[in-house]
């Protein structure tokens, strides 16, 4: 017996039960811990980039309406890529995304130089994604990389 009137065995059993309860409650057995969010899909950056490129084309067309015939098909291709990427990821592509403002001004004589740089950077990202994509995704990502390279050349 301890000086407080409790047996050593009783104190140890109580301490062991408290420790077990604390351990079990910390492991999520009682459902206290929420499920961690799933990691983002590796194709999400390509989807975001496709939408940003489409928005950049839209801004260029708004700034220079004379370029609409040349740039509208390229913007449309990026929207199609976004739709297919969203389908593959299992989400719905937003219909419009606010693209970041370009580094040039709206009064530039020809915004195609900035678009070409954006296409070249985006093409490199798509090539890198294609290299690490599983085989069921590689064909789509490779097609997007090739399309972006073609866009960069079309903007010369």
């Amino acid at each position: 017996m301890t000086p407080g009137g409790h047996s050593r065995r009783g104190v140890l059993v109580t301490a062991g039960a408290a420790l077990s309860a604390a351990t079990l409650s910390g492991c999520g057995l009682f459902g206290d811990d929420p499920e961690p969010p799933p990691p983002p899909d590796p194709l999400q950056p390509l989807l975001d980039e496709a939408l940003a490129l489409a928005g950049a084309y839209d801004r260029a067309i708004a700034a220079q309406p004379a370029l609409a015939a040349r740039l509208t098909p390229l913007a449309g291709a990026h929207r199609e890529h976004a739709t297919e990427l969203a389908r593959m990821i299992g989400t719905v592509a937003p219909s419009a995304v606010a693209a970041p403002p370009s580094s040039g001004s709206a009064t530039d004589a020809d915004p195609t130089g900035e678009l070409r740089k954006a296409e070249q950077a985006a093409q490199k990202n798509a090539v890198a994604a294609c290299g690490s994509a599983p085989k069921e995704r590689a064909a789509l990502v490779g097609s997007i990389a090739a399309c972006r390279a073609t866009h960069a050349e079309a903007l010369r």
Side-chain angles (χ1 to χ4, degrees):
M1 285 276 198
T2 61
H6 300 289
S7 70
R8 187 182 326 195
R9 178 174 283 161
V11 170
L12 289 175
V13 168
T14 303
L19 182 60
S20 295
T23 302
L24 287 176
S25 67
C27 74
L29 181 65
F30 297 119
D32 293 342
D33 296 333
E35 284 290 319
D41 191 284
L43 294 182
Q44 187 64 48
L46 289 179
L47 171 59
D48 296 341
E49 199 168 46
L51 293 169
L53 285 165
Y57 278 98
D58 291 343
R59 280 194 318 281
I61 292 166
Q64 297 290 326
L67 295 173
R70 183 176 175 198
L71 301 182
T72 298
L74 304 178
H78 287 297
R79 285 188 182 85
E80 290 174 15
H81 297 161
T83 299
E84 285 304 309
L85 287 165
R87 183 190 58 74
M88 189 166 278
I89 291 171
T91 64
V92 176
S95 58
V97 168
S102 65
S103 59
S105 70
T107 60
D108 287 344
D110 188 7
T112 58
E114 287 298 315
L115 290 171
R116 186 168 189 269
K117 288 178 189 175
E119 288 283 7
Q120 289 170 329
Q123 189 263 342
K124 288 178 184 176
N125 294 338
V127 167
C130 186
S132 62
K135 64 182 177 181
E136 64 273 4
R137 292 178 161 200
L140 174 63
V141 178
S143 294
I144 290 171
C147 192
R148 289 176 178 181
T150 303
H151 290 178
E153 289 303 309
L155 292 167
R156 281 185 178 260

